[in-house]
Each structure stands twice: as structure tokens, then as C-alpha cells.
Amino acid sequence: EEKLSLLPDDDFIPSLHHRSWIIQIPHLKQHRRNVLEQLLSVFDQENITSNDHILNIREEDVPADCRPIVRRLQQAAESPKMQDDLEMEDIYIEEFRSKERETLKALEEKEKALEEKEKALEVKDKTIEEQGKVIEDKDKALEEQSKALEEQSKTLEEQNKTLEAKEKEIEELKRRLNKE
């Protein structure tokens, strides 16, 4: 029993809860070993005609046992109701794809807008950070000025005390001189 290992990378097959056989018709090609595989070759998409709904199949290419099935499929394809249904299906599929494209475009635009907002927020954050640093620097400068003013104030106080002491000395000297 030969197995084809080229299964699609999607969650469909692992999600099946029943025993199943997955047949990938494009991989059958010339390996059609039995009647079933020969019948399945009827659905090979390489046989598509200019009408996407019709496959170019010759009855003589199919085993005799399968020819009634091919004839029934041909009758269905020729049915006006089936053709109308297929046209409607095409319209629905195109509308769906159009909506999907619009949705994807809207999502892309929203993603771009979000990215732009994120960039703007980053710029604002940097600006706030820079402003914070400027404020910190100003606070440090004010602190230094405050310390310098305190030191000047202390120096002035000391000078005032010294002046007062000198004035007292001068007054004392004046008194002494006046007494003599």
C-alpha cells in the first residue's frame, strides 16, 4: 500500500475524527493502479476547459465500468439549472473574495494607523523623557543656586556679625578716647 506524503499543511486533516482516505488527484498522474484511481482521474484539474466548470474528459479514457458515471456528470454539466447554479456560485465566490480583499485592505490600513500611533507615542515618550531630564537638570540647578544663596546668606550673616563686632569695637574705642 503506497502512501503519498504530500499532505497540505493545514489543520483540516488532523481535525478529522473518523477514518478517512485523502486522495490528492494531481499526484495520481500515471500511477493509476486500479479502477478507483482511474475514475478519480476524471476530476484532474489539468483537464479544465476555457469554462472553469467543465473538464475535458473522453469516455474512452475511462474504464467501461465508470462510463455511466462520466455520462451522468456530463448530463449534469449540460443542465441549464446546473449552469445557472454554477454561475451564481461564481458570483458568490467573487463577492466573497471582494469582501475578503476589502477586509484585508481595511486591516492593513488599521495596522498602518496603529503603527503610526505607536511611533507617535514613542516620539511623545521620548519628548516626555527629554522634558523630564530638562526638569531634573533645572531642579539640580535650582538646588545648586539655593545652596549658593544659603552660603551667601551665611557669609553675609558672618560679615554682618563681624561688622557689628567691629562697630562695637569702634564705639568702644571712641568711648575710651572720649574718656581720656
Side-chain angles (χ1 to χ4, degrees):
E1 188 176 312
E2 181 183 327
K3 288 187 177 182
L4 294 174
S5 62
L6 302 170
L7 294 175
D9 291 335
D10 108 21
D11 294 333
F12 171 71
I13 294 172
S15 69
L16 296 175
H17 297 288
H18 57 279
R19 186 176 175 151
S20 60
W21 288 267
I22 309 298
I23 299 170
Q24 295 177 316
I25 294 172
H27 296 290
L28 290 176
K29 299 287 178 212
Q30 301 304 319
H31 304 296
R32 298 177 182 139
R33 302 165 301 206
N34 56 40
V35 175
L36 176 61
E37 289 181 0
Q38 290 171 353
L39 174 64
L40 290 174
S41 70
V42 167
F43 300 100
D44 190 346
Q45 297 298 303
E46 288 186 8
N47 296 325
I48 202 158
T49 63
S50 59
N51 178 345
D52 290 343
H53 300 291
I54 307 289
L55 296 175
N56 187 20
I57 305 296
R58 296 184 330 191
E59 260 189 66
E60 53 272 7
D61 293 342
V62 179
D65 297 353
C66 300
R67 289 182 184 161
I69 296 170
V70 171
R71 281 189 217 111
R72 180 64 186 117
L73 289 170
Q74 286 172 335
Q75 286 174 349
E78 292 169 0
S79 156
K81 182 185 178 339
M82 178 63 74
Q83 290 175 359
D84 289 344
D85 289 349
L86 292 173
E87 284 179 33
M88 287 304 294
E89 182 180 299
D90 287 344
I91 291 169
Y92 289 137
I93 288 172
E94 184 52 41
E95 285 179 16
F96 175 77
R97 288 183 178 151
S98 175
K99 292 284 185 193
E100 185 177 37
R101 284 189 296 271
E102 289 174 16
T103 303
L104 288 173
K105 187 176 179 180
L107 283 173
E108 286 173 3
E109 289 173 3
K110 285 182 180 179
E111 283 179 13
K112 285 180 184 177
L114 279 174
E115 286 176 10
E116 289 174 9
K117 284 182 180 178
E118 285 177 4
K119 287 179 183 176
L121 284 173
E122 285 177 16
V123 168
K124 284 182 180 179
D125 286 347
K126 285 181 182 176
T127 304
I128 290 170
E129 191 176 309
E130 289 171 2
Q131 287 175 349
K133 287 180 182 177
V134 167
I135 290 171
E136 268 182 43
D137 292 344
K138 285 183 179 180
D139 284 348
K140 286 180 183 177
L142 284 173
E143 230 177 271
E144 288 173 7
Q145 286 177 351
S146 178
K147 285 180 183 178
L149 283 174
E150 277 182 37
E151 287 176 15
Q152 285 177 353
S153 179
K154 285 179 183 178
T155 305
L156 282 174
E157 268 184 50
E158 288 174 9
Q159 287 175 352
N160 280 340
K161 286 180 183 178
T162 306
L163 275 175
E164 283 177 13
K166 296 272 183 190
E167 283 177 359
K168 283 182 183 179
E169 278 180 35
I170 291 173
E171 278 184 36
E172 187 64 36
L173 283 173
K174 279 183 182 178
R175 268 191 241 153
R176 282 187 193 167
L177 282 173
N178 285 337
K179 280 185 185 180
E180 290 179 7

